[in-house]
Amino acid sequence: MAHFITNSQIHGYSLVRVVLSGCFCKYFFSFFFISQVFAQYKTSPKALRLYQSAERTLPFDSKQALALYQEVVQVDSNFAAPYMRIGQILSHELDKEKEVLRCFERAVALDSNEIAFSNIYKILGEHYLREGSYQIAQKYLQGYLRLHPNASNATSRSIKRSLKQSLFAQKEREKTRVSIQNSPLPVFLNAKLHQSYPVMTADLTSLIFTINNGDEDIVISERTTSGWTSPVSISTNINSSQNEGTCAISADGRMLIFTACDRSDGYGKCDLYETRKTGTQWSIPRNLGKVINSPHWESQPSLSADGNTLYFSSDRPGGQGGKDIWVSEADAEGLWQTPQNLGSLINTEFDEISPFIHTNNISLFFSSDGREGMGGFDVFVSKKINANWSRPAHFGYPLNDHAHQIGFYISPDCQEMLYSYQYQATKRIYQNLPQTVICRTPLPDSLVAWCPVVMFIKGKIRDGQTSEPLGARITIQSIHHSSNQVSNYTSDGSTGKFLFVYPKNVKVNVSIEKEGYYPLHWELELDSLLKSASPSLDVVLWKWEQNRSMRIKNILFLNNKTDLDATSLGELKQLADYLLKYPYLKIQIEGHTDDVGQQDKNMDLSLRRALTVVDYLQQAGVMPTRLQAKGFGNTKPLVENISDENRRQNRRVEWRIID
């Protein structure tokens, strides 16, 4: 079960039991400890005899030793060592947590300078930090550092981190008066022992998350006019008798990356797998291979909207320490490249997990226990600026609190958050595990600047003659924007359906291509689309035919001249790139004018404009033998020349395949 939530603490076993089991299972105080204690504390002969007897009994019969230690404190209630021993033994019983804490607190209160009590200070400090009792945590953490003022080992660094968190949390909670109530999703969506790591498609119609009721599976719920449907297994091809979970979904809902552990085709403890959806069916998952997966732990993936960038958490070598966030890009053939560590600005020597790249491909949300925070795992956000990441910002209190904050999802419009919330073990226990639910809340105004909004458009691509659905490549590129972001999508070959996202208030070029068909290139006319409640495009592609001409949109010439307007270059570059992609095509560039002016001059002007386009394509690398030019003047109008708008439509440049 720790495969997907990262460790038993996050899965929520009794906090004291988790912390103590690693420290005390071998009874970490050696017999040398006896002489240390008695060098500092004088007790009665009776208490001494009982304590020595208990120490001799402890390795063989802890139950009998416990009775002896309890008798010691009845004889001498100020003897510190037996309180430590009682707490140590009781720590193995789940229902004795409060008594364990009382014993440990009594021990250090009676002898605050005993260096052998260092681990008690550590246990108490970290327990109260996880409970959100920050002032109490501070006292015990400082107690540990007081006993080890010059230590620089891993334990000391961990204590210093926890102390920073307790101090930060007190200031953060003091300055924040806002109260945010965790609002769980409906009960039928939170019906299992654990629900975590929610993700959604960009149109917010499909909710996918991990459930754990003794076995982790991936489930899906669909939004309908009457609300969410009851979650069901996403696919029998994906879920098995083993654990599957912590998934990532592309914006269109057709590519899923998920985690599976202990599989026969795995490279490490937990690996990442890929499956794709065609129509309503998910493919048999495939392991992403040894480029992505290592002999170590890979989990908690997140995909960019177009599915071409993959973020994940891993403890593989080469990072900053602990679990780090890594990123891989897919090449032109769709193959994942060697993952890169996000570096020390994002990762720390401790754990960074649960990355989520927003649909805008700019905002990266992740959880970390290595930074100043409220204790446990807190959520941070960083923005990509010119391929570099900004210094992460803390989500703030009360979105971050003493519980673990993991598995965040932020809607494309940056209005709402979904997240996993784990109730504290002291509040809700079921089969010795606390319940984890999916909650939602509006994104606070303080975080809006970190989350540029994106929009989505759906549509369908079909054959112009048969109306059969087509699978085609869709490229979206921002215009006049600092990011100059390019995203690539595909339509579903069985349905023709597609979905793509684009930055709000940013002009974008759309290119739709399929081999054997004329491409479509245009600047997306957002205003007319957004007037509809559900923006949708019906895209028609026509097969390569010698009797069909295709207009080059947005080709503009200066009035009565052959000089290209600067706005024309983007469209021409797309045509050049297309011709370079299919070097066997030969085309004819055709110029047309309106009816203004003399016909012979219009014929000459249209030819010269066609030649201007041919010249541009040649300079872009298209062989001259593949290009012809012809002018038609005003002899082939698209519409009747009866208005300025009609004349504008007739002034055009087209191209057709001639061989």
Side-chain angles (χ1 to χ4, degrees):
M1 289 180 291
H3 301 156
F4 305 131
I5 313 294
T6 73
N7 54 50
S8 59
Q9 291 177 349
I10 298 178
H11 250 297
Y13 291 99
S14 171
L15 290 177
V16 168
R17 180 176 174 82
V18 168
V19 177
L20 301 189
S21 60
C23 299
F24 288 161
C25 61
K26 297 291 186 181
Y27 299 104
F28 72 81
F29 285 106
S30 67
F31 288 103
F32 173 71
F33 169 71
I34 299 174
S35 61
Q36 283 186 308
V37 170
F38 296 132
Q40 301 174 21
Y41 179 76
K42 302 299 182 182
T43 187
S44 69
K46 181 178 180 181
L48 176 59
R49 288 193 302 272
L50 287 170
Y51 185 80
Q52 290 174 329
S53 177
E55 289 288 291
R56 290 191 295 269
T57 305
L58 179 59
F60 310 104
D61 189 342
S62 62
K63 185 175 181 179
Q64 178 60 32
L66 174 63
L68 290 170
Y69 288 126
Q70 290 171 333
E71 190 174 349
V72 173
V73 298
Q74 289 177 354
V75 174
D76 184 353
S77 62
N78 292 320
F79 192 177
Y83 287 104
M84 179 279 303
R85 288 300 200 199
I86 294 170
Q88 171 190 336
I89 297 171
L90 293 179
S91 68
H92 297 277
E93 300 182 34
L94 284 174
D95 59 346
K96 300 295 185 180
E97 182 178 55
K98 290 183 178 179
E99 191 172 346
V100 170
L101 292 172
R102 283 198 300 268
C103 287
F104 286 165
E105 289 172 334
R106 179 69 173 161
V108 296
L110 290 170
D111 193 350
S112 62
N113 294 316
E114 175 52 61
I115 196 167
F117 286 171
S118 296
N119 277 334
I120 293 181
Y121 278 109
K122 178 179 184 294
I123 290 164
L124 290 172
E126 292 181 345
H127 167 77
Y128 283 113
L129 178 63
R130 288 183 174 86
E131 193 182 70
S133 301
Y134 297 117
Q135 287 184 318
I136 301 175
Q138 176 187 345
K139 178 181 72 172
Y140 289 117
L141 295 168
Q142 288 175 333
Y144 179 95
L145 294 175
R146 176 172 52 80
L147 296 177
H148 301 278
N150 300 315
S152 60
N153 56 21
T155 299
S156 179
R157 293 196 300 273
S158 177
I159 293 293
K160 290 176 181 177
R161 170 201 57 176
S162 295
L163 179 59
K164 285 183 179 180
Q165 289 177 336
S166 68
L167 295 172
F168 173 86
Q170 290 177 65
K171 293 179 181 178
E172 190 74 10
R173 193 160 62 179
E174 178 64 26
K175 74 180 184 182
T176 306
R177 302 301 181 188
V178 178
S179 177
I180 293 181
Q181 195 75 21
N182 291 310
S183 300
L185 295 182
V187 173
F188 68 90
L189 292 174
N190 281 312
K192 301 299 181 181
L193 183 60
H194 291 284
Q195 288 75 206
S196 59
Y197 293 92
V199 294
M200 297 185 76
T201 50
D203 59 2
L204 304 182
T205 60
S206 297
L207 170 64
I208 303 169
F209 56 96
T210 303
I211 62 168
N212 177 4
N213 210 30
D215 169 45
E216 279 125 338
D217 283 325
I218 300 171
V219 297
I220 185 170
S221 173
E222 301 288 354
R223 190 195 297 267
T224 67
T225 55
S226 57
W228 291 103
T229 62
S230 295
V232 296
S233 171
I234 190 169
S235 172
T236 55
N237 284 345
I238 296 174
N239 290 320
S240 69
S241 58
Q242 298 171 298
N243 289 328
E244 294 82 24
T246 60
C247 65
I249 191 78
S250 57
D252 60 8
R254 294 178 45 237
M255 178 181 181
L256 188 81
I257 305 290
F258 67 95
T259 310
C261 302
D262 302 316
R263 290 196 173 190
S264 59
D265 62 345
Y267 292 84
K269 180 65 176 177
C270 292
D271 282 14
L272 298 178
Y273 289 75
E274 175 185 338
T275 176
R276 292 179 180 265
K277 188 178 183 182
T278 302
T280 60
Q281 297 297 315
W282 288 99
S283 64
I284 300 296
R286 68 173 186 88
N287 188 296
L288 288 187
K290 61 182 179 181
V291 172
I292 297 295
N293 294 310
S294 72
H296 301 270
W297 178 88
E298 279 79 33
S299 185
Q300 302 170 350
S302 182
L303 276 172
S304 61
D306 63 3
N308 291 317
T309 306
L310 172 65
Y311 297 83
F312 61 95
S313 183
S314 175
D315 60 359
R316 66 207 296 156
Q320 307 301 313
K323 296 177 175 67
D324 279 5
I325 297 174
W326 298 73
V327 62
S328 175
E329 302 280 350
D331 63 15
E333 284 72 42
L335 300 177
W336 294 110
Q337 302 303 290
T338 302
Q340 302 298 312
N341 188 277
L342 289 193
S344 59
L345 195 61
I346 301 294
N347 295 310
T348 69
E349 65 174 305
F350 298 99
D351 286 341
E352 279 66 45
I353 62 170
S354 187
F356 168 69
I357 186 68
H358 189 264
T359 320
N360 59 31
N361 205 29
I362 293 174
S363 307
L364 177 68
F365 300 85
F366 63 96
S367 297
S368 172
D369 68 351
R371 301 175 177 277
E372 284 189 335
M374 306 299 293
F377 281 96
D378 279 14
V379 178
F380 296 80
V381 58
S382 176
K383 285 176 69 175
K384 185 187 286 186
I385 303 173
N386 297 327
N388 296 314
W389 293 103
S390 68
R391 185 170 299 279
H394 187 260
F395 248 42
Y397 177 81
L399 285 175
N400 283 320
D401 63 12
H402 57 278
H404 292 299
Q405 276 72 47
I406 55 174
F408 265 70
Y409 170 84
I410 316 295
S411 61
D413 60 7
C414 298
Q415 294 295 304
E416 187 176 53
M417 301 184 299
L418 296 180
Y419 55 96
S420 315
Y421 187 84
Q422 179 177 301
Y423 287 96
Q424 289 299 296
T426 55
K427 294 180 180 178
R428 295 180 69 175
I429 296 284
Y430 175 67
Q431 295 182 349
N432 301 328
L433 288 169
Q435 190 176 26
T436 305
V437 298
I438 297 175
C439 297
R440 63 185 170 197
T441 189
L443 189 72
D445 293 340
S446 60
L447 295 175
V448 169
W450 289 90
C451 188
V453 173
V454 294
M455 312 293 285
F456 73 88
I457 286 182
K458 291 181 174 182
K460 183 176 181 179
I461 301 175
R462 56 187 176 87
D463 184 287
Q465 292 178 316
T466 67
S467 290
E468 289 296 314
L470 295 175
R473 181 182 177 87
I474 305 164
T475 302
I476 311 298
Q477 183 170 15
S478 57
I479 306 172
H480 310 309
H481 190 256
S482 58
S483 68
N484 199 32
Q485 187 170 316
V486 178
S487 301
N488 295 296
Y489 302 84
T490 58
S491 58
D492 188 322
S494 67
T495 65
K497 293 181 179 180
F498 66 85
L499 179 151
F500 64 78
V501 302
Y502 60 90
K504 186 178 181 181
N505 298 325
V506 174
K507 292 183 178 181
V508 294
N509 274 330
V510 180
S511 175
I512 300 181
E513 297 179 4
K514 179 177 178 61
E515 186 170 7
Y517 288 79
Y518 284 96
L520 289 180
H521 306 294
W522 77 95
E523 183 179 313
L524 193 59
E525 297 177 0
L526 302 179
D527 291 342
S528 59
L529 282 170
L530 296 180
K531 290 177 182 177
S532 168
S534 300
S536 182
L537 291 174
D538 183 24
V539 179
V540 176
L541 294 183
W542 296 92
K543 288 184 177 179
W544 290 336
E545 297 174 345
Q546 293 187 16
N547 63 347
R548 181 175 298 281
S549 295
M550 298 299 294
R551 182 179 179 181
I552 308 175
K553 295 187 177 182
N554 295 326
I555 293 294
L556 300 175
F557 291 93
L558 300 178
N559 187 35
N560 207 31
K561 294 183 180 297
T562 61
D563 299 324
L564 283 167
D565 186 279
T567 57
S568 306
L569 301 183
E571 296 284 345
L572 289 177
K573 184 180 184 305
Q574 288 180 321
L575 177 57
D577 291 343
Y578 185 79
L579 293 173
L580 292 173
K581 190 182 300 183
Y582 301 107
Y584 48 85
L585 292 180
K586 292 183 179 180
I587 69 168
Q588 179 170 280
I589 303 296
E590 302 172 347
H592 301 267
T593 68
D594 58 26
D595 64 345
V596 177
Q598 298 178 9
Q599 187 169 349
D600 58 340
K601 289 185 178 180
N602 283 340
M603 192 71 71
D604 177 66
L605 179 62
S606 64
L607 175 59
R608 287 188 290 116
R609 286 180 171 177
L611 288 169
T612 298
V613 173
V614 167
D615 183 62
Y616 175 92
L617 295 174
Q618 289 181 11
Q619 292 185 40
V622 182
M623 295 295 293
T625 54
R626 300 174 55 197
L627 302 170
Q628 293 182 13
K630 189 170 183 178
F632 289 92
N634 60 350
T635 61
K636 291 188 175 184
L638 289 176
V639 293
E640 191 175 356
N641 287 294
I642 58 175
S643 67
D644 289 342
E645 173 58 27
N646 283 13
R647 289 187 175 90
R648 186 189 67 80
Q649 292 185 49
N650 288 330
R651 296 191 298 268
R652 67 196 189 278
V653 177
E654 298 176 336
W655 66 282
R656 74 170 67 236
I657 294 173
I658 57 176
D659 190 6

